[in-house]
Amino acid sequence: MSQVDRILIIGANGFIGHHLSKRLVTDSNFRVTAIDLKSDRLRDILGHDNFEFKQGDILDNDGWISREVEQSDVVIPLVAIASPLMYIKQPLKVFELDFEANLPIVRECVSQNKHLIFPSTSEVYGMSSDLEFDPLTTNLVTGPIQMQRWIYSTCKQLMDRIIYAYGESENLNYTLFRPFNWFGPGLDSIDTPREGGSRVVTNFIGSILRGEEIKLVNGGSQRRAFTYIDDGIDALVQIIEKRHKSANRQIFNIGNPVNDYSISHLAHLILELSLEHPLLKDRASRVNIISEDQSIFYGAGYQDVMSRNPKILNTSDLLNWQPKVGLRDGLKLTLDHYAQGEGL
Ligand code: UGA
């Protein structure tokens, strides 16, 4: 097997991208070329021997994507809009960025015979009633067209199907991974001006930092399996290392079934931990948890997923991987980060 020397990460300054870049640069032999509009979250590794940052916009592809793919062994395109409010408010932007702008990168991997590691999503399973979502057997269940929440899910699903088809008909080597509610330092900016503009963990922490109410959509009985970012990154490193063997042409759920909790439980735990935190306790003492109807919180076009739990049997077996970080420990690390004003 040839030694990987160059991993191309497009969208390297994002949540997954900056954690993955740092891990690869500090803890592996891989060389990383990182592309993004900005590099502020990569500042710790700028200048590292195994790391190169280049400014690039996938919406402005004048041929740079082809040139960068040519010089790479593995391509990981991470640019995407991933906040539910945006699916409803800006559905065409989601299509243009998550699907349309990523398709040329997929096609470059096909024509240049490069291994593609592409982020699918837990959202593809939609409102399936399966107790565990299985990449091989679970039906993908979305709502009617006017429920614009599903544009992200269906863009990702179509890309999954295209990548699979390229694997079958044109021998593309690929790995699809589906993060299940990854959280951790740097998930989103807590300064996102409108509530709901970021994902739930950062939304709740943002409410505490601003001393505002935490809002549970429809009472918060809906459940998610929260996955700490370090566990997710461990799995991605295994995928890169095993891409010629057990990780090739696979679809992996990357989630932590043990951390399956309701959103209401999440809110109470974040508030409890904030009340114990020296930098947060004053602001947390002013925060109440309230319920808000989805029609007010998100507006029309929103449908929720009531339960989302990953089956991770193939991920564990083929990657020799298990998630380790419990929700409480992961939230403590995340709160420390935001309390110190990092990643705003
Ligand atoms: C997320 C996003 O679509 C993506 O980040 C991603 O692809 C995927 O799921 C994932 O991370 O696995 P969702 O889990 O619905 O979707 O997004 P969140 O914004 O994190 O919301 C989780 C739940 O909390 C939803 O039921 C939502 O209604 C609720 N919520 C959210 C609140 O009760 N209050 C809030 O302030 C925000």
Side-chain angles (χ1 to χ4, degrees), residues 11 29 34 130 171 184 226 230 251 270 303 321 328:
N29 295 320
D130 288 4
N171 285 322
F226 296 97
D230 288 1
I251 305 176
I270 289 179
Q303 258 181 324
W321 169 87
R328 179 179 282 270

Side-chain angles (χ1 to χ4, degrees), residues 142-156:
T142 58
I145 299 303
Q146 72 274 19
M147 294 299 168
Q148 301 217 72
R149 188 253 163 81
W150 302 114
I151 195 156
Y152 172 77
S153 170
T154 50
C155 283
K156 287 284 191 181

Side-chain angles (χ1 to χ4, degrees), residues 5 14 16 19 27 39 50 55 59 75 86 105 118 172 177 183 248 254 270 293 301 321:
D5 56 4
I16 297 176
H19 283 283
D27 199 18
S39 61
N50 288 341
Q55 202 171 38
L59 293 170
V75 178
M86 288 291 286
I105 305 173
F118 197 84
L172 172 68
F177 68 97
F183 73 101
N248 195 20
I254 305 181
I270 289 179
D293 193 88
W321 169 87

